[in-house]
């Protein structure tokens, strides 16, 4: 059940990046899409480790 | 502006709706941390200039609270996973796998609940379409019930 969903979403997200690039979208939007793909890949590992969790934390900018 | 939130929302929806019901509390908490991170990061970028100029605006305060809640959840997870591993096995804080402490589960559940609630607030304030972030909490509550706690 989960694997087909993951595959579809990853394919959609990956397909979104060249589409955004081709339409001259702002770099930060493309970066967001790329980071979403990266994040998704990180999040769905099988074993939870501290390094993995720490890599998901974000820092405040104000 | 809405386009920038799409990837994070995409991740959140799949992380919360697509995961199997047999997920452990630690992987549920990790997914909540990851999904919240994706959404808060995008929201922070979207509202960066306005929040640097006026950090007391409600959306800015909510995003910052969300980041603090994300870290609190990671701390709760570290406590939950700080059980004694078998001899010769690396503990969680040093890079090993999670060894659950049952008595710390309710605190972790509360931290995830708080994180989801704050992220929902950010979504509402940001005008994003709200999805159910409470699925994680329900899963953890179900786990608690199964464990008879």
């Amino acid at each position: 059940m989960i694997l087909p969903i993951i595959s579809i979403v990853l394919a959609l997200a990956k397909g979104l990046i060249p589409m955004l690039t081709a339409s001259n979208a702002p770099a930060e939007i493309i970066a967001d899409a790329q980071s979403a793909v990266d994040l998704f890949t990180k999040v769905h590992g099988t074993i939870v480790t501290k390094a993995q969790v720490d890599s998901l934390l974000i820092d405040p900018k104000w | 502006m809405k386009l920038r939130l799409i990837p994070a929302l995409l991740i959140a929806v799949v992380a919360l709706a697509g995961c199997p019901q047999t997920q452990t509390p630690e992987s549920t908490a990790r997914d909540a941390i990851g999904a919240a991170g994706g959404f808060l990061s995008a929201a922070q970028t979207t509202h960066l200039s306005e929040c640097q100029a006026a950090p007391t605006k409600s959306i800015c305060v909510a995003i910052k609270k969300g980041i603090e809640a994300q870290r609190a959840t990671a701390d709760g997870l570290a406590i939950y996973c700080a059980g004694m591993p078998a001899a010769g096995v690396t503990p969680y804080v040093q890079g090993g796998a999670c060894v659950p402490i049952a008595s710390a589960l309710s605190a972790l559940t509360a931290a995830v609940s708080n994180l989801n609630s704050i992220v929902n607030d950010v979504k509402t304030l940001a005008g994003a379409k709200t999805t159910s972030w409470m699925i994680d909490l329900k899963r953890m509550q179900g786990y608690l019930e199964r464990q008879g706690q």
Side-chain angles (χ1 to χ4, degrees), chain B residues 10 21 27 36 53 71 74 78 83-84 112 114 125 129 131-132 136:
Chain B
L10 206 61
Q21 293 298 315
S27 58
R71 290 188 176 274
M84 184 70 73
V112 171
N114 185 49
L125 288 166
K129 189 178 177 182
T131 56
S132 175
D136 273 343

Side-chain angles (χ1 to χ4, degrees), chain B residues 94-119:
Chain B
Q94 294 173 14
C98 177
V99 181
I101 297 176
S103 60
L105 181 57
S106 56
L108 178 60
T109 306
V112 171
S113 170
N114 185 49
L115 174 61
N116 289 339
S117 173
I118 292 171
V119 170

Side-chain angles (χ1 to χ4, degrees), chain B residues 35-36 39-40 66 114-124 133:
Chain B
F39 181 79
L40 291 169
N114 185 49
L115 174 61
N116 289 339
S117 173
I118 292 171
V119 170
N120 263 334
D121 289 346
V122 175
K123 280 183 178 180
T124 303
W133 283 74

Side-chain angles (χ1 to χ4, degrees), chain A residues 48-59:
Chain A
V48 177
T49 65
K50 188 169 189 305
Q52 182 191 52
V53 171
D54 287 348
S55 75
L56 298 171
L57 298 177
I58 58 173
D59 294 315

Side-chain angles (χ1 to χ4, degrees), chain A residues 23-46:
Chain A
S23 62
N24 293 321
E28 55 191 8
I29 294 178
I30 297 169
D32 280 347
Q34 184 61 59
S35 69
V37 173
D38 293 344
L39 179 67
F40 188 84
T41 308
K42 281 182 194 172
V43 160
H44 281 274
T46 52

